[in-house]
Amino acid sequence: MSISTRFLFQTIFSALLLSAAIPTLAKNPWEAARTPTNQLPESIGGYSNGCLSGAEEMPVRGEGFQLVRTGRNRHYGNPYLVEFLKDFSNAVEEKDLGRLQIGDMSMARGGPFSSGHASHQMGLDADIWFSQDERAAERPLTPWERDNISAVPIADERRHMLLEKNWDQRIPGILRIASEDPRVARIFVHPTIKQKMCDIAGSDNEWLRKVRPWWGHNYHFHVRLNCPPEDKSCVPQPKVSGKPCEGGLDWWFSDDFYAILNGTAPVKPKPEKPPKKPDMPAQCAQVLTAPAAP
């Protein structure tokens, strides 16, 4: 194939990709907003129904951290989250626990995603990989590496079995640093990973109270912060109740759960009308149309 012919095919292919992306952006204006607003920082609404003004973009690399999947443009947060992630990563590095790979945070103005997340909408959520790429410990990852390296699963998502060969002894120490930070409301992990850490912790498990079992989360943990003290329009996460390692895990290893996970649970009839999505906070309309930050 000649160079000119190859260039023609590449141009056509790029145009097709662009045309395929345009309808998605048109359907979801939050994904089309590529820059933060020029407003004061504020997390508005709830974690799964909100938006973000005055967002701050997380640096690509810093003390104890390296961003991954930067091509998604999902590395924005309330400055409260950015400050926490820097503090957290720095503490991880100081304790010789490695360099964290930080994945999705929020979009430039928060809001709902077309796919991938129900939450992460108001700049207070961040996904962090359990695995750590050896190259990132030595040097900054290239743009291609950031978007193409793969996270390593720690548990089998469907069989609730820990993948011992992938277990990293640094994980409990890393999660404990985050959990004991008063800014943190929840840390979501795979149920098998929570069970593993309860077994390791024994009676010294109070720090595991915030570490909650949830669907998926077998290759990353999800940190959620409390509302920043000054954000009056932020709907807070309810406080965690119950014992750290008792009761709350039982259902995740029950026959009822496995039936849902494996698609063998009785199918419930669909409602005649799908439930109406809650309206977004009124302030979010202003966030969506506000001028971009300089």
Side-chain angles (χ1 to χ4, degrees):
M1 183 184 295
S2 68
I3 294 176
S4 59
T5 304
R6 186 183 300 114
F7 177 76
L8 177 61
F9 279 134
Q10 289 175 341
T11 303
I12 293 172
F13 182 66
S14 298
L16 289 172
L17 287 177
L18 179 61
S19 64
I22 290 173
T24 301
L25 296 178
K27 290 178 183 177
N28 187 350
W30 296 98
E31 291 178 337
R34 309 292 288 178
T35 53
T37 73
N38 65 351
Q39 301 164 306
L40 293 174
E42 187 174 15
S43 292
I44 301 164
Y47 300 92
S48 298
N49 187 37
C51 59
L52 172 65
S53 66
E56 182 176 343
E57 187 173 10
M58 189 74 184
V60 171
R61 184 178 171 90
E63 293 185 27
F65 73 88
Q66 166 73 64
L67 296 190
V68 289
R69 302 294 184 263
T70 49
R72 296 178 178 179
N73 200 40
R74 295 177 175 183
H75 286 105
Y76 296 89
N78 190 303
Y80 190 67
L81 174 65
V82 173
E83 181 182 41
F84 162 77
L85 289 173
K86 290 179 179 178
D87 292 344
F88 173 39
S89 301
N90 191 27
V92 166
E93 185 173 65
E94 286 182 350
K95 290 186 177 292
D96 199 25
L97 295 172
R99 179 177 292 275
L100 300 178
Q101 269 82 77
I102 300 174
D104 285 357
M105 294 165 58
S106 292
M107 294 184 288
R109 303 189 181 200
F113 297 81
S114 295
S115 63
H117 300 287
S119 59
H120 290 250
Q121 292 196 26
M122 59 172 182
L124 296 175
D125 295 280
D127 289 341
I128 302 171
W129 290 5
F130 288 117
S131 60
Q132 299 183 30
D133 190 274
E134 292 181 0
R135 292 166 294 183
E138 303 297 330
R139 58 169 174 78
L141 296 176
T142 67
W144 187 91
E145 288 170 340
R146 293 197 300 266
D147 280 333
N148 287 278
I149 63 173
S150 296
V152 178
I154 303 300
D156 187 296
E157 188 173 6
R158 301 198 64 80
R159 291 186 292 163
H160 275 196
M161 179 180 70
L162 195 74
L163 302 176
E164 293 284 358
K165 66 177 181 178
N166 295 338
W167 178 255
D168 189 329
Q169 298 296 332
R170 298 174 294 184
I171 290 172
I174 290 170
L175 292 179
R176 185 162 189 163
I177 292 171
S179 182
E180 291 181 340
D181 192 304
R183 291 170 288 187
V184 173
R186 296 282 196 283
I187 301 172
F188 300 105
V189 301
H190 188 277
T192 305
I193 296 172
K194 171 69 183 279
Q195 185 182 57
K196 168 77 171 180
M197 291 191 297
C198 283
D199 292 342
I200 293 172
S203 60
D204 181 23
N205 62 13
E206 183 58 32
W207 67 273
L208 283 165
R209 183 179 299 278
K210 294 178 184 176
V211 180
R212 310 300 292 174
W214 199 243
W215 307 89
H217 295 86
N218 62 324
Y219 67 88
H220 73 276
F221 61 97
H222 173 168
V223 177
R224 171 171 293 169
L225 300 191
N226 292 303
C227 289
E230 67 278 7
D231 285 14
K232 305 305 181 185
S233 298
C234 177
V235 179
Q237 177 86 58
K239 296 294 183 182
V240 179
S241 60
K243 296 182 178 180
C245 288
E246 296 179 23
L249 272 170
D250 293 346
W251 181 79
W252 294 95
F253 296 90
S254 68
D255 291 340
D256 288 344
F257 171 76
Y258 283 115
I260 296 172
L261 187 66
N262 297 313
T264 58
V267 178
K268 295 181 180 180
K270 291 184 179 180
E272 293 182 6
K273 292 183 179 180
K276 183 183 177 182
K277 292 182 179 180
D279 294 330
M280 294 188 72
Q283 295 145 282
C284 290
Q286 298 175 351
V287 170
L288 192 58
T289 57

